[in-house]
Amino acid sequence: MKVAKGWVVLWLGVVCMSPVWAQTPTGDERILAAREALRTGDQATLDQLAAGRSPHLLERYVKCWHLQNQLARSEPPDTARIEAFLARYAGSVLADRLRGAWLNRLAKDENWIGFIGAWGGLASPTDGQRCQHWLARARIGDRTALDEAAAVWAGLSLRAEACEALVGQLAASGRLAPEAIWARFREQMMSRRPSDLELIVSGLPAGEAPTSAALKVMVKDPARYLDNLRPGFAQRRADSELMLAALGRLAVGDPKAAYARFARLNDGLSADDQAYGYMLLGWRAAQDHLPESVRWFRAAGKLQMPDEQRAWQVRAALRQEDWKAVRHAILAMSPEQRAERSWTYWLARAEQALGEAEGGRLLLERIAGHPDFYGMLADERLGRAFTPPPPDTPQTAAVQADVAADPDIRRALALYRLALYTEGTREWLWRLRSADDSFRLAAARLALDEGIYDRAINTAEAVNPQDNFGLRYLTPFRDLIEPQALSLNLDLAWVYGVLRQESRFVTRAASPVGAQGLMQVMPATGSWVAKKIGMTDYRRSRLQEPDTNVLLGTSYMRIVLDDLDDHPVLAAAGYNAGPGRAKRWRDERMLEGAIYVETIPFNETRDYVKKVMANAVIYAALMEGKPQSLTTRLGQVAPR
């Protein structure tokens, strides 16, 4: 990234000490001053900056930030200026963001006529804004608004205040069917942190909703809730629903304890509710890799399961290599789920294991030829290794020149140059929404030239996942990474596979949980590794330095590999979720590497390991110039 940050930080320090400008700044300083004033809510500085004019490419940002700050204040906003900005920059990312802020302010002011008038043109309204729109229409007498909302309420996030108010109106108007309410209740109870339960059941008819006290006990202490139930407890729908909710909640931590209580109480449930209870038990037991999961799923019979639970029915059978049960569970999926690449692959494996070689081959052909986890595995079962990909498609000089001169792309690069990464990425993505493949590839190459590696990779990947491997599988910082990998006896292709997945080579990358830098090292891990390798000058801030981050990250990779049988699959899982979990996820017997990966309980880690291992195959093919095998890399996972 070609950004000179030192003067920016020094200058901003001076800016923050001066509440009012003695002289209006120019150039980049003006843009940075406006951004800082927006962050601190400094209306006086924004007033002064917005009153001036500048030919700077980012001048529109000064005007927009000024208006955004006005909208966040208690004083009435300058509606004329807002409308003028929206008209002048119609179709731009800034106009869309300003419109969203304006709508939020109009809703806060309960200016429903104004809200409806400003609604048109918002590209991607949030659930909160959609709820505000329905409420606005309802409040001015549009009788169809609540009907529209009732038809889609099950898919809305209820965290927004407007959506809570909307659900209250839908409930009061009797537009929420009890079956839909209980379906959403069950969906919420399948999460590890259920929320909005009282709001969801508020739409039930009087006398049919559970009490607030019962809900709280069920969520906080499901074991106690179940232990207090007696035979004949299910006098109404709410009783059985809370019992099943408590069962599922207890099964998250202890499926066997949940089953013991279910066995005592299930006679009081309908056949359908009994099947649902067995599904909950099978699902949670499968995530804990308990052998009982297959039996409990089987006891659910022909229950129509959600996709998540049906997937775990397959994984439970895979874990035991019960190929008949694998095939049965996949064939019970919806056509859409069954067509997913993962389940096409495992159905093919089941068919082959059960003697249907030709049927298995035809299924493998459907997904073969794609450079992803399942495509590679399918190709190898068909006798085809992953071969070094061809050179990237060249771009004409004319297209490259057009992209470099594009005003939206230039604005994005100018924002990146000023370290305004969030704004730069918004501009970049907004421009590429309507771009053709030729433009996108040229933009990816421009991003690479500018050192914006994540944009180069992501933009090229959106064009064609089977082409332009040189752009999509970059090897920046090789002068830092390769010597470190060699000194620690690490597979360079695997290291790059991890790096690509962790940060897309963004040195400033920071995760929501605090992981830092190229290799996403947690501060505590960095401190621990630094002591292990004798690094005496470790500071948390040094995780943003590429050389320090690579040193600590690769050293940690070596430590994790040594602790996990030098197995890259286990180490990838351990790097993402912790070595202890990677150990616990092994079986009592030898397990095929692909089955180990498929049955990782955490969705994020499972997807991460698949991508890291496929990345490593592609990097190895590019680096070594010879065919590679994913199956060999996955290998077998030894018993715990």
Side-chain angles (χ1 to χ4, degrees), residues 188-412:
Q188 185 58 231
M189 285 307 306
M190 285 182 179
S191 70
R192 289 181 178 264
R193 294 183 178 87
S195 59
D196 305 312
L197 299 180
E198 289 190 54
L199 178 63
I200 290 169
V201 300
S202 66
L204 291 167
E208 294 185 22
T211 65
S212 175
L215 284 171
K216 288 177 181 175
V217 172
M218 180 272 293
V219 171
K220 186 175 181 180
D221 193 346
R224 180 162 70 93
Y225 182 87
L226 291 169
D227 289 342
N228 286 337
L229 295 179
R230 294 291 176 263
F233 69 91
Q235 300 299 311
R236 54 185 188 142
R237 176 73 181 267
D239 299 326
S240 56
E241 290 293 344
L242 260 65
M243 180 271 180
L244 291 168
L247 176 76
R249 189 151 178 79
L250 180 59
V252 171
D254 193 342
K256 292 182 179 180
Y259 173 72
R261 289 163 171 83
F262 181 66
R264 180 177 69 84
L265 296 168
N266 66 4
D267 284 347
L269 298 173
S270 68
D272 286 346
D273 284 347
Q274 287 183 17
Y276 184 79
Y278 276 115
M279 181 200 72
L280 292 175
L281 293 166
W283 173 39
R284 295 305 188 185
Q287 292 175 312
D288 282 356
H289 300 144
L290 298 179
E292 292 92 338
S293 59
V294 172
R295 173 166 56 87
W296 290 338
F297 269 126
R298 189 178 296 121
K302 297 182 179 180
L303 180 74
Q304 191 124 14
M305 299 184 196
D307 287 355
E308 169 76 1
Q309 286 68 38
R310 188 67 76 184
W312 275 103
Q313 184 180 18
V314 178
R315 294 186 183 114
L318 271 176
R319 193 82 177 185
Q320 297 186 25
E321 295 189 53
D322 183 341
W323 294 107
K324 186 176 180 181
V326 168
R327 180 170 66 178
H328 173 80
I330 295 175
L331 291 178
M333 289 176 168
S334 67
E336 294 77 17
Q337 187 182 15
R338 190 165 63 245
E340 292 174 14
R341 297 176 61 75
S342 55
W343 308 126
T344 300
Y345 174 75
W346 290 116
L347 180 58
R349 290 286 306 276
E351 296 289 3
Q352 290 179 331
L354 296 170
E356 298 292 338
E358 180 61 13
R361 185 189 69 78
L362 291 174
L363 286 166
L364 291 171
E365 290 287 4
R366 291 184 191 175
I367 59 172
H370 292 266
D372 61 12
F373 188 81
Y374 298 105
M376 290 177 183
L377 290 177
D379 272 322
E380 289 185 42
R381 292 197 71 83
L382 293 167
R384 310 165 194 157
F386 182 82
T387 56
D392 290 0
T393 303
Q395 292 292 299
T396 66
V399 174
Q400 288 293 152
D402 287 345
V403 171
D406 185 90
D408 294 329
I409 295 294
R410 289 176 59 223
R411 262 192 304 278

